Amino acid sequence: MDQRLLRETIQDTWRTSALASLSEFVTIPALSPAFDALWASNGHLHAAVEHVRAWLAARELPGAELEAVKLPGRTPLLLLEIPASAGVATGETVVLYGHLDKQPAAGEWSPGLDPWTPVLKDGRLYGRGAGDDGYAGYAAATALEALHRAGGRHARTVVLLETGEESGSPDLAAYLDHLRDRIGPVGLVVCLDVAGGDYERLWLATSLRGIAFLDLTVRVLDAGVHSGHSSGLVPSSFRVIRQLLDRIEDSRTGEVLLPELSVEIPEDRLAEVRQAVAEGGLRPELPLTEGVRLAGDDPVELVLNNTWRATLSVTGASGLPSLEDAGNVLRPFTGLKLSFRLPPTADSAVALRAVVDALTTDVPYQAKVEIGRAAAASGWNAPKLAPWLAATLDQVSAEVFGQPWRALGLGGTIPFLGLFAETYPDAQFVVTGPRGPGNNAHVPDEWLHLAQTERVTEAVARILHAHAGE
């Protein structure tokens, strides 16, 4: 393989057609179904699929088959199938994964920026979906096309781009079952949907936390009552909800108290964290309010809190009027959206049941508790690297990044990984991406680091080439 041509092809594609198409992709408000109940009629997810499909169709990929797969009542999925290069007979399929659905605007963006307007500035592409996760399909196809031009090779490859990841991938299992025969036996999974510790080296995610979430509503009245007439007689719904949450979380430390949400941290993951911290990595850029301290002083423990321990976040509320509109009223109910991040190896279904039981058993004052929209997805812990992959990562990191690669656990959730790990227990996983500190995924001013995207794309191409030689 001509490695110089490989790099030049990747750089040229990213700096021209891929960047132009990804910029147009930003303009499509393809909100994930959790944020757009009318997604089917609004058509933005389908528009995103069609936009990326058109770009993929123009690529020089011999024998490629491209289809927008649409199961009834489910979000669409884009599938690109490329036969193995001549002479490659591994019998294994490589799956390259990404997603096309997006988070909402999530507040005001900085002056000159807008979630649905692409802006190129300082080597970054700003706009919702640029980094999470619109680039993935472009990177996958660019890597494959560059391999062909440079005389490289790859096994049979499937690029799979779903449109429900930001909602917990509720349709993905159905699609994987539907496409099982077309996907075939999987030997390598490349997931392009994570962030690393910096923009200087190749980062691999070796674990992701699971997730459980639900709507909790505590109701004590059928209608609001003057607080002077009712307080001290009727328990506050907010006080009841505080007592229920105290069963689950120590409010002083943030420790989740339910044993079903705790696991023993593997020694190899502890070693990864200690190494990364010792080298100065894993320092997230967070917009802390002036004077606010982190939840602890030990950087290793902070990383473990974010990657291998359960946490509770209250991400939404109802029944609470704004400060300006709040009167002297004992409110009839309080509702909270509870989001639990779970350890990678915890059983998410068991964890969710434990949370629901804690919230609904022996409720103080026999207040009425309502649980809604409860769901869970398990996390993922990577298998041990095969010797060929470990050696390839070492070489690629040195020649593309000039730095050794590093591993880290991530606090987020990608249900795809758990599904594939269960279905293909012998597969190798490369979970990587160009995002890093301060990339603002899910919040205002999301951006994609373009130079790092080129490097990660080249790394993926070279990993595919090495896999084909096994």
Side-chain angles (χ1 to χ4, degrees):
M1 181 175 63
D2 187 333
Q3 295 181 7
R4 180 189 59 82
L5 181 57
L6 179 79
R7 178 172 297 179
E8 290 177 351
T9 300
I10 289 170
Q11 292 177 342
D12 179 67
T13 302
W14 264 117
R15 296 172 189 183
T16 55
S17 67
L19 180 57
S21 183
L22 179 57
S23 297
E24 292 179 19
F25 173 81
V26 166
T27 69
I28 304 171
L31 297 184
S32 199
F35 309 105
D36 182 8
L38 301 178
W39 64 267
S41 57
N42 286 336
H44 299 310
L45 291 179
H46 291 88
V49 167
E50 287 305 309
H51 176 79
V52 177
R53 186 202 61 77
W55 188 84
L56 293 177
R59 309 280 52 83
E60 297 178 4
L61 296 171
E65 297 183 9
L66 181 61
E67 180 184 357
V69 186
K70 301 173 184 177
L71 291 177
R74 298 191 182 276
T75 53
L77 179 144
L78 189 57
L79 191 72
L80 173 65
E81 301 174 69
I82 308 99
S85 302
V88 176
T90 66
E92 294 181 345
T93 296
V94 177
V95 174
L96 298 170
Y97 167 88
H99 67 87
L100 302 177
D101 57 316
K102 306 180 183 183
Q103 288 277 326
E108 292 294 326
W109 288 47
S110 296
L113 300 178
D114 179 86
W116 318 119
T117 303
V119 174
L120 284 171
K121 182 181 178 181
D122 300 328
R124 303 172 176 180
L125 174 62
Y126 287 84
R128 181 61 85 222
D132 187 16
D133 187 42
Y135 79 89
Y138 295 92
T142 297
L144 289 162
E145 188 175 31
L147 273 178
H148 281 281
R149 291 187 184 180
R153 56 190 177 180
H154 60 81
R156 180 179 180 273
T157 301
V158 170
V159 179
L160 187 154
L161 305 174
E162 65 158 317
T163 58
E165 194 275 341
E166 300 292 6
S167 302
S169 299
D171 298 331
L172 185 56
Y175 275 112
L176 293 181
D177 183 64
H178 176 70
L179 298 169
R180 188 177 303 274
D181 292 339
R182 289 176 62 177
I183 292 175
V186 176
L188 175 63
V189 178
V190 180
C191 176
L192 295 167
D193 187 25
V194 298
D198 57 37
Y199 297 97
E200 306 300 326
R201 68 179 78 226
L202 180 66
W203 289 88
L204 262 64
T206 51
S207 66
L208 289 103
R209 287 191 293 182
I211 192 170
F213 50 87
L214 56 86
D215 296 342
L216 168 66
T217 301
V218 171
R219 192 177 300 274
V220 296
L221 293 166
D222 292 331
V225 178
H226 191 299
S227 61
H229 298 162
S230 57
S231 60
L233 300 176
V234 178
S236 161
S237 61
F238 191 82
R239 178 156 62 92
V240 174
I241 217 166
R242 285 167 58 192
Q243 293 180 52
L244 293 175
L245 294 182
D246 282 344
R247 300 174 175 181
I248 294 172
E249 180 196 48
D250 184 329
S251 60
R252 296 175 299 106
T253 65
E255 178 187 359
V256 173
L257 304 174
L258 302 180
E260 293 86 351
L261 278 66
S262 178
V263 302
E264 183 175 351
I265 303 173
E267 284 298 325
D268 56 345
R269 300 299 174 235
L270 283 170
E272 289 174 356
V273 171
R274 289 168 180 153
Q275 179 184 45
V277 169
E279 294 179 354
L282 307 184
R283 295 178 179 173
E285 295 181 7
L286 301 171
L288 283 174
T289 299
E290 184 177 357
V292 173
R293 297 183 296 109
L294 294 177
D297 298 321
D298 185 334
V300 171
E301 291 302 310
L302 286 173
V303 173
L304 294 175
N305 287 346
N306 182 244
T307 57
W308 275 90
R309 294 182 181 129
T311 56
L312 165 62
S313 299
V314 176
T315 60
S318 62
L320 295 166
S322 67
L323 297 178
E324 294 79 7
D325 296 333
N328 294 321
V329 174
L330 185 69
R331 297 175 297 100
F333 72 93
T334 299
L336 298 178
K337 179 76 171 182
L338 306 183
S339 175
F340 295 86
R341 292 293 180 176
L342 308 174
T345 55
D347 186 319
S348 62
V350 171
L352 181 59
R353 284 197 299 270
V355 169
V356 172
D357 287 346
L359 296 173
T360 57
T361 303
D362 297 328
V363 178
Y365 307 103
Q366 297 182 339
K368 183 178 180 181
V369 172
E370 302 166 2
I371 303 293
R373 299 193 299 177
S378 293
W380 168 79
N381 187 32
K384 183 177 177 60
L385 289 178
W388 75 265
L389 181 53
T392 299
L393 291 171
D394 290 342
Q395 181 178 4
V396 167
S397 294
E399 296 178 359
V400 177
F401 296 84
Q403 301 264 11
W405 66 277
R406 287 292 176 258
L408 77 167
L410 295 179
T413 307
I414 304 178
F416 163 84
L417 289 170
L419 288 171
F420 259 66
E422 181 179 348
T423 306
Y424 305 104
D426 297 325
Q428 289 287 288
F429 286 79
V430 174
V431 182
T432 188
R435 297 201 306 271
N439 69 92
N440 292 344
H442 293 203
V443 298
D445 300 354
E446 175 184 339
W447 52 271
L448 177 69
H449 192 292
L450 297 175
Q452 182 74 342
T453 302
E454 293 176 3
R455 290 190 288 267
V456 169
T457 303
E458 182 180 351
V460 169
R462 294 182 58 165
I463 290 169
L464 296 180
H465 178 73
H467 170 260
E470 286 303 300

